[in-house]
Amino acid sequence: FKENIFNFKNNFKSFSPLICFAIKSNTNLALIKEIKKFGLGADVVSMGELMMALKAGINPKKIVFSGVGKSLEDIKLAIKNDILTFNVESEPELHRIHNTAKKLKKKARISIRVNPDVDPKTHPYISTGLKENKFGVDEKSAISLYKTAKKLDSIDIQGIDCHIGSQITELKPFKDSIKKLLTLVNYLKSIDIPIQHIDIGGGIGIQYDKEKPPNISEYAKTVKKILK
């Protein structure tokens, strides 16, 4: 576990990225406290996971709230703790976050999850980046959503997000999805919506059987080449 953290940090050190551990993959409090010691953030998808990350001492400014179906209570707790960002999945969710932030007299930081319609070449049950998948919004809808968000006074646009699936064993899907995000970032900049961070998701596969997933070094080299 520590070796993976060191590999991520070392291979991406020229970028100084925020590396977020997906709490849903292991909710053991002792483990999350270890993650905190290494300066990592957390990706949470529920109130319980958010509370677990906070209890472990993870800095709220390093917590990203992902996932569909965020409840009002989820949103309220996250805003009160001033988390880094919500990864917004739909227009109704955007308005739910805005209305909650307004009632609390605060601003909520958001990113919009884009579904880039990229085949992750993985099992269909864990694919999340094709247009038939339920996650995120397509590129055209994303632009519309950013324009809407810009008009909301309790919303602070921070980033752009995508996550195309799990157990990905090729680099091409990552390349394709990041390139699509960058095209969007450039367009948004041209209409005066600057993006502060890009969340490229996760999903690097591991070897269960005969798979040959890329190692973190190969992954980092590919990502840095596109993003430099």
Side-chain angles (χ1 to χ4, degrees):
F1 184 71
K2 288 177 182 177
E3 188 182 327
N4 272 335
I5 291 173
F6 287 134
N7 278 338
F8 257 104
K9 284 192 157 190
N10 289 337
N11 282 292
F12 279 100
K13 63 185 173 188
S14 61
F15 272 33
S16 300
L18 173 59
I19 302 167
C20 290
F21 179 75
I23 301 293
K24 67 182 175 185
S25 67
N26 194 321
T27 55
N28 182 294
L29 187 60
L31 188 76
I32 302 167
K33 284 179 178 175
E34 286 296 314
I35 291 158
K36 187 253 177 188
K37 287 179 193 172
F38 289 101
L40 269 63
D43 183 286
V44 304
V45 297
S46 69
M47 186 195 290
E49 289 183 16
L50 173 58
M51 290 168 80
M52 192 74 74
L54 292 170
K55 190 174 180 182
I58 289 179
N59 182 345
K61 289 284 200 313
K62 292 183 176 182
I63 295 177
V64 174
F65 205 132
S66 301
V68 293
K70 300 175 187 75
S71 72
L72 286 172
E73 290 305 311
D74 293 342
I75 293 165
K76 196 183 292 182
L77 183 67
I79 292 172
K80 282 181 176 177
N81 281 281
D82 199 24
I83 66 162
L84 173 64
T85 192
F86 290 94
N87 284 337
V88 175
E89 299 261 359
S90 68
E91 186 167 353
E93 185 188 305
L94 174 65
H95 289 292
R96 200 154 55 238
I97 292 168
H98 171 255
N99 293 337
T100 306
K102 205 173 183 69
K103 283 176 187 169
L104 294 170
K105 295 183 169 57
K106 291 181 179 286
K107 268 200 165 191
R109 288 181 288 273
I110 64 111
S111 306
I112 288 167
R113 179 171 177 176
V114 178
N115 183 325
D117 194 22
V118 166
D119 185 357
K121 310 286 187 192
T122 187
H123 193 286
Y125 289 178
I126 47 177
S127 165
T128 58
L130 286 163
K131 64 183 177 184
E132 62 262 30
N133 298 136
K134 65 184 177 182
F135 301 98
V137 295
D138 63 48
E139 293 153 87
K140 191 177 175 184
S141 301
I143 292 165
S144 173
L145 214 45
Y146 276 111
K147 287 177 178 175
T148 299
K150 193 181 178 186
K151 295 173 190 168
L152 300 174
D153 54 10
S154 293
I155 291 292
D156 178 10
I157 296 171
Q158 282 290 309
I160 192 165
D161 163 56
C162 83
H163 186 287
I164 55 172
S166 299
Q167 189 54 15
I168 300 169
T169 55
E170 296 177 24
L171 289 171
K172 189 175 184 298
F174 291 116
K175 285 185 197 173
D176 294 345
S177 63
I178 295 169
K179 282 177 181 175
K180 286 196 172 190
L181 286 192
L182 288 179
T183 301
L184 263 176
V185 167
N186 287 333
Y187 176 75
L188 291 167
K189 189 178 179 182
S190 76
I191 58 170
D192 197 29
I193 301 176
I195 298 299
Q196 307 300 321
H197 74 248
I198 296 177
D199 183 343
I200 60 172
I204 300 175
I206 61 169
Q207 188 172 3
Y208 284 106
D209 188 19
K210 293 177 182 173
E211 303 95 337
K212 290 187 179 175
N215 61 39
I216 292 171
S217 171
E218 294 168 320
Y219 172 71
K221 194 174 175 184
T222 298
V223 169
K224 288 193 289 186
K225 190 176 179 183
I226 302 167
L227 288 176
K228 65 180 178 182

